Amino acid sequence: MNKTRIVVAGIGGVGGYFGGLLAKHFDKDDAVSVCFLARGEHLKAIKKDGLKVVKGADQFVAMPALATDDASEIGIADFVIVTTKSYDLEQAVVQLKPCIDSKTVIVPFLNGVDSRERIKSVFPENMVLDGCAYIVSRLTEAGKVENLGNIEKLFFGLDHFENEQLRQLESLFIQAGIEAKLSVNIATVIWEKFIFIAAIATATTYFDCNIGAIVSDPEKVQAFTDLVNEVKQIALAKQIAIVQDITDRTLKILHAMPAEATSSMHSDFLNKKAHNELQSLTGYVVREGEKYGLKTPVFNKMFGALEHKTQQ
């Protein structure tokens, strides 16, 4: 019997947490094999001692069937889960070519709303899903991922479509203890998250502060609200079916987040990373606003300031 092979590419906060749960549950399983595509010191630590996954007082060590930086060592995968940063997406999926054939299903769980079309440009014949992860987690040191929040959900699928292969993937997630849902209205789910992510990434990075500092300052909350409304109008222009009270819902998410948490984009700015999500989040909203003839003054102001900061 052939094993179902799952490859998780990008073992950071998202891929490390959910991939860790998959690897832990299916360790030594006769029917399912979970492989990690990682790199550098992180890969060395996983190969040596496994991946340590921490959530509050609980922790476990996940041992994947294989951890490597060379996809040709893995073999053909049934499911490829891509959780790299958006700026690494094309490079990551090209590296995955050795483990992808015509039947491989590819699922991105990245911030942003254009991951599927970007992957389809590399693998036009494959089934590429849309995916959306709700989690606050970080790679805190080589070989260690920490879940810092109180929400951990996966949504994935294609609009108005499902089949046995996708239901199997949902079942594999659920068996591993992951709260996952196959959605036939995934565009709505993706955009309702993007409205939050684009606003919070832009606000935390522009104001250079964590979520608690935004929530405690009425002017910053107003700026966040303005950002939300600017993304919302783009979703409506694209005829995405978002809920009417999306602004209120997004503000509730903001207030429910841990005060010490921040966005991954802000973390990358703090750590002076060479690459960040500015273009795929803030810049995307600015460009789509121009495309649809919509005014996005707060995004434009913050994008200009942050782009200037990256050039210093």
Side-chain angles (χ1 to χ4, degrees):
M1 177 176 128
N2 288 334
K3 280 192 172 188
T4 296
R5 183 175 284 129
I6 303 169
V7 175
V8 184
I11 311 299
V14 176
Y17 186 74
F18 292 113
L21 287 171
L22 286 166
K24 174 181 174 244
H25 181 77
F26 292 111
D27 185 29
K28 301 181 177 64
D29 191 286
D30 291 335
V32 181
S33 170
V34 179
C35 302
F36 290 173
L37 194 70
R39 60 191 179 193
E41 293 303 312
H42 190 37
L43 174 60
K44 286 181 189 174
I46 294 169
K47 280 185 161 183
K48 182 173 180 285
D49 299 313
L51 175 69
K52 183 183 285 188
V53 180
V54 179
K55 182 186 176 185
D58 300 324
Q59 60 179 268
F60 64 86
V61 175
M63 301 295 296
L66 174 67
T68 181
D69 58 5
D70 182 357
S72 65
E73 294 180 359
I74 295 172
I76 297 299
D78 297 276
F79 301 103
V80 170
I81 298 165
V82 183
T83 60
T84 58
K85 291 289 183 73
S86 59
Y87 47 77
D88 282 336
L89 181 57
E90 281 80 4
Q91 180 185 1
V93 294
V94 167
Q95 288 178 336
L96 286 161
K97 279 188 176 181
C99 53
I100 291 174
D101 71 4
S102 60
K103 295 179 182 176
T104 303
V105 175
I106 306 169
V107 196
F109 291 107
L110 281 73
N111 291 334
V113 289
D114 60 352
S115 301
R116 179 174 181 267
E117 61 192 70
R118 289 167 64 190
I119 295 172
K120 285 292 272 187
S121 71
V122 182
F123 295 105
E125 304 304 316
N126 281 79
M127 183 181 291
V128 181
L129 309 183
D130 271 317
C132 173
Y134 280 92
I135 189 167
V136 181
S137 55
R138 294 283 181 272
L139 174 62
T140 52
E141 61 186 76
K144 182 179 177 183
V145 167
E146 190 166 356
N147 181 348
L148 306 165
N150 52 12
I151 182 170
E152 47 187 82
K153 294 181 180 179
L154 293 180
F155 297 88
F156 67 96
L158 291 171
D159 277 351
H160 318 300
F161 177 84
E162 62 179 294
N163 66 8
E164 189 54 43
Q165 204 173 10
L166 303 192
R167 287 189 287 270
Q168 179 196 7
L169 180 58
E170 180 184 50
S171 173
L172 292 169
F173 282 137
I174 292 169
Q175 286 174 55
I178 296 168
E179 190 174 344
K181 182 172 176 56
L182 171 61
S183 173
V184 294
N185 300 302
I186 194 67
T188 297
V189 177
I190 295 275
W191 269 90
E192 288 184 351
K193 182 193 175 183
F194 181 69
I195 287 169
F196 173 74
I197 287 293
I200 198 62
T202 303
T204 51
T205 311
Y206 177 79
F207 291 120
D208 192 16
C209 68
N210 61 20
I211 286 170
I214 289 178
V215 169
S216 62
D217 183 336
E219 288 187 8
K220 289 185 175 68
V221 172
Q222 185 58 55
F224 174 82
T225 306
D226 291 341
L227 290 167
V228 168
N229 287 328
E230 289 179 9
V231 195
K232 172 184 168 182
Q233 66 175 342
I234 290 169
L236 293 172
K238 288 177 168 289
Q239 300 185 319
I240 306 294
I242 55 173
V243 293
Q244 283 189 324
D245 62 344
I246 187 65
T247 303
D248 290 341
R249 289 193 186 195
T250 307
L251 283 164
K252 282 180 183 173
I253 294 171
L254 174 73
H255 287 279
M257 296 283 284
E260 68 279 7
T262 192
S263 65
S264 59
M265 187 167 101
H266 182 218
S267 294
D268 286 345
F269 268 74
L270 286 172
N271 294 320
K272 294 182 167 52
K273 293 272 186 78
H275 301 286
N276 56 63
E277 297 171 301
L278 181 63
Q279 293 296 335
S280 60
L281 297 178
T282 315
Y284 178 85
V285 175
V286 170
R287 292 188 297 273
E288 291 298 290
E290 291 170 354
K291 178 176 164 184
Y292 286 93
L294 299 169
K295 291 182 178 177
T296 56
V298 184
F299 266 101
N300 284 41
K301 179 181 81 169
M302 295 186 179
F303 178 64
L306 291 171
E307 201 169 38
H308 178 70
K309 188 181 278 191
T310 64
Q311 293 163 357
Q312 289 178 330

